[in-house]
């Protein structure tokens, strides 16, 4: 059995003349947080789509729990524990926060592994509390602040009891305090055995919670390693001029990318 929970192997995705992902290989291990970073347009979301089955790769394989899932449809991967949140918020606006999570939980039907195996409405309320949005439980989802909506996305995803949680820019819209609490929650979930693969621009968050980081640039993996290695990698520093100079501040990949290549 392979150590890795997820293996992306030599994946290529072409959209007409655009090569969005170019021979990318990387892994995500069990029970840790893995970061997938890179500037806008690097191919991160496309990689997520390949992993979840929304995008068929032009070439390459995806292995999950030692099975080749490349040809599996989205729902089959989801049933086997591949859960994701979207960069764009996806909640049902007219439903309450609690009902949004209930719907996700009832579709899944099983116990909530990451919440001590609880089920039903009690489990949903524990989940809302755990994610830090219990005070919004009765509010309509379209009336809550963006940061809260992000956390609702996470709660909805957790309600489906994922083994592998894919988070696409989960901290956007969160303030500094919320981001800190969010990072702590991810660390707790990973410690309980949940495996997390995260696309994220907030480098402080990435560097503080990730066990491993893969860096995409123009569709290619240019570096893979522990945060300390990625931070000091010459190729990564070349790709993100400026980040290395802003040691310790909340420089985001997005800000750096805009600095490097102004729109
Ligand atoms: N459905 C699509 N059709 C055509 N081009 C796409 C499509 N999705 C993404 N792209 C292109 O692929 C590249 C990678 O996009 P994406 O994976 O969204 O990057 P990231 O998430 O790292 O910002 C970009 O050049 C983007 O314009
Ligand atoms: Mg993206």
């Amino acid at each position: 059995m392979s150590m890795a929970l997820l293996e992306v192997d030599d994946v290529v995705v072409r959209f007409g003349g655009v090569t969005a992902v170019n021979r990318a290989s990387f892994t995500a291990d069990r029970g840790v947080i893995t970061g997938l970073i890179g500037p806008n347009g690097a191919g991160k979301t496309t990689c997520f789509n390949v992993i979840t089955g929304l995008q068929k790769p032009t070439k390459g394989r995806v292995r999950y729990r030692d099975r080749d899932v490349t040809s599996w449809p989205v729902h089959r991967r989801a049933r086997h524990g591949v859960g994701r949140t979207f960069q764009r918020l996806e909640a049902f606006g007219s439903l309450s926060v609690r009902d949004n999570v209930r719907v996700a939980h009832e579709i899944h039907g099983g116990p909530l592994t990451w919440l001590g195996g609880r089920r039903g409405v009690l489990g949903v309320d524990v989940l809302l509390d755990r994610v830090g949005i219990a005070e919004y439980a009765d509010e309509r989802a379209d009336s809550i602040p963006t940061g809260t909506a992000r956390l609702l996305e996470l709660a909805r995803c957790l309600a489906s009891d994922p083994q592998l949680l894919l988070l696409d820019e989960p901290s956007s819209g969160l303030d500094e305090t919320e981001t800190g609490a969010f990072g702590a929650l991810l660390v707790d979930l990973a410690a309980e055995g949940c495996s997390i693969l995260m696309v994220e621009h907030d480098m402080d968050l990435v560097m503080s919670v990730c066990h491993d980081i893969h860096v995409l640039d123009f569709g290619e993996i240019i570096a893979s390693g522990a945060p300390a290695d990625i931070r000091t990698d010459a190729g990564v520093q070349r790709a993100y001029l400026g980040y290395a100079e802003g040691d310790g501040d909340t420089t985001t990949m997005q800000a750096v990318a805009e600095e490097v290549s102004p729109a």
Side-chain angles (χ1 to χ4, degrees), residues 15 18 20 39-46 87:
F15 296 113
V18 177
N40 281 330
K44 306 178 296 295
T45 296
T46 304
Q87 207 169 342

Side-chain angles (χ1 to χ4, degrees), residues 31-134:
V32 297
I33 306 170
T34 303
L36 181 62
I37 66 173
N40 281 330
K44 306 178 296 295
T45 296
T46 304
C47 283
F48 268 25
N49 290 342
V50 169
I51 294 165
T52 55
L54 281 174
Q55 176 66 51
K56 188 177 153 17
T58 309
K59 181 180 176 297
R61 316 303 306 171
V62 177
R63 274 180 286 275
Y64 170 67
R65 291 159 91 184
D66 293 309
R67 296 170 79 174
D68 188 328
V69 300
T70 316
S71 62
W72 287 20
V74 175
H75 61 86
R76 187 170 177 207
R77 299 187 205 199
R79 218 180 328 112
H80 282 77
V82 177
R84 82 175 291 175
T85 62
F86 287 86
Q87 207 169 342
R88 194 164 55 86
L89 299 168
E90 299 275 327
F92 300 113
S94 65
L95 293 186
S96 70
V97 164
R98 180 187 285 111
D99 283 347
N100 263 280
V101 177
R102 276 178 75 169
V103 168
H105 182 40
E106 277 163 23
I107 289 171
H108 165 64
L112 300 168
T113 308
W114 315 121
L115 295 161
R118 287 188 190 82
R119 289 173 189 269
V121 184
L122 179 64
V124 167
D125 278 350
V126 171
L127 177 47
L128 293 176
D129 188 48
R130 179 104 198 249
V131 172
I133 56 174

Side-chain angles (χ1 to χ4, degrees), residues 8-14 19-26 47 57-61 216 218-222:
V8 170
D9 181 15
D10 208 25
V11 162
V12 176
V13 178
R14 283 194 201 99
T19 302
V21 179
N22 194 9
R23 306 202 58 182
S25 295
F26 60 91
C47 283
T58 309
K59 181 180 176 297
R61 316 303 306 171
L216 266 179
F218 294 107
E220 294 182 21
I221 296 288
I222 60 164

